[in-house]
Amino acid sequence: MFADVQAVLFDLDGTLIDSAPDLGAAADKMRVDRGLPSLPLAHYRPLAGAGARGMIGVAFGLTPEHADFSALREEFFANYEQCMTQRTYAFDGVPELIAHLVAIDLPWGVVTNKAARFTDPLTRVMPLFLSARTVVSGDTTPHAKPHPEPLFEAARRLAIAPARCLYVGDDERDVVAGLAAGMGTVAATYGYLGQKADPSQWGAHATINFPGALLQLLAKA
């Protein structure tokens, strides 16, 4: 599956960058503003990959079905827009991984469920993304992952067949989308994973425990 890879696509949060501190801060501000005690980042981190749903769930114990959820979500988004570049950083080993892909002239890009309203400013200010050939957000196409359409869009932009692309992500939805798109799939277990996640059950073609392990996979192929 990795012998003829012509491009590598990555999920964003939990795969390339650790945005949990800013996501958690945005939700925790909502608690503090209401006179509730602050929660430690460790409470928010496991559900950072679930975005607003996960953060509001941790902060208030509410699900999207609750009548107040929509208003809380918009408040969370507004908070996050104000702080989303303050504490977010690339995972250890990611800059070196990207630098190597660039050095061997292997195109790379991002396919995330994060809305463009956040993805665009975030990727503009982080030097890591200067060499990205494409960034596909959660609202770039009519469908978000686990639907394969965002991955197809990225492949179209790169002018590379999906079967020649590799997709790396830390969530089961990433693997489901990658498989549906006919891409090679790699589960990144150093990301958020979520509660009680078992990457061995996702059906990915390979699993990596640190970013540099992807280079080892490609080198072996």
Side-chain angles (χ1 to χ4, degrees):
M1 205 69 192
F2 307 134
D4 190 25
V5 171
Q6 297 177 10
V8 182
L9 300 170
F10 297 92
D11 175 47
L12 185 61
D13 302 82
T15 301
L16 292 178
I17 63 173
D18 184 0
S19 52
D22 283 328
L23 289 165
D28 209 54
K29 183 178 185 302
M30 297 168 66
R31 284 181 58 87
V32 174
D33 287 349
R34 289 164 172 78
L36 297 171
S38 177
L39 296 176
L41 174 59
H43 283 57
Y44 294 104
R45 179 176 291 282
L47 287 171
R53 174 173 53 84
M55 297 299 92
I56 292 171
V58 173
F60 300 106
L62 300 182
T63 66
E65 292 72 32
H66 194 280
D68 295 334
F69 184 85
S70 293
L72 291 172
R73 179 179 57 195
E74 288 308 311
E75 182 180 347
F76 169 78
F77 286 158
N79 285 353
Y80 182 57
E81 279 184 311
Q82 296 300 313
C83 73
M84 64 181 176
T85 61
Q86 293 180 7
R87 310 165 191 83
T88 292
Y89 55 89
F91 282 108
D92 288 345
V94 165
E96 293 80 6
L97 166 60
I98 297 302
H100 185 82
L101 295 180
V102 173
I104 62 176
D105 198 28
L106 192 62
W108 74 280
V110 173
V111 181
T112 174
N113 273 0
K114 204 182 196 80
R117 127 188 210 192
F118 310 113
T119 304
D120 290 349
L122 185 61
T123 55
R124 277 198 301 266
V125 301
M126 295 186 71
L128 178 73
F129 298 98
L130 290 174
S131 60
R133 301 285 185 90
T134 186
V135 176
V136 176
S137 300
D139 50 358
T140 299
T141 71
H143 304 282
K145 298 174 297 182
H147 197 283
E149 182 55 31
L151 291 174
F152 287 140
E153 174 64 17
R156 285 193 293 267
R157 292 182 177 189
L158 296 174
I160 295 174
R164 297 290 176 260
C165 297
L166 191 64
Y167 188 49
V168 185
D170 71 309
D171 191 277
E172 186 174 10
R173 292 171 296 179
D174 300 324
V175 174
V176 171
L179 293 174
M183 296 184 178
T185 56
V186 177
T189 64
Y190 56 84
Y192 303 137
L193 294 183
Q195 294 180 324
K196 301 179 181 178
D198 184 1
S200 68
Q201 300 299 310
W202 296 353
H205 295 101
T207 299
I208 56 173
N209 298 320
F210 60 98
L214 182 65
L215 298 178
Q216 298 174 7
L217 285 176
L218 294 173
K220 288 179 181 179

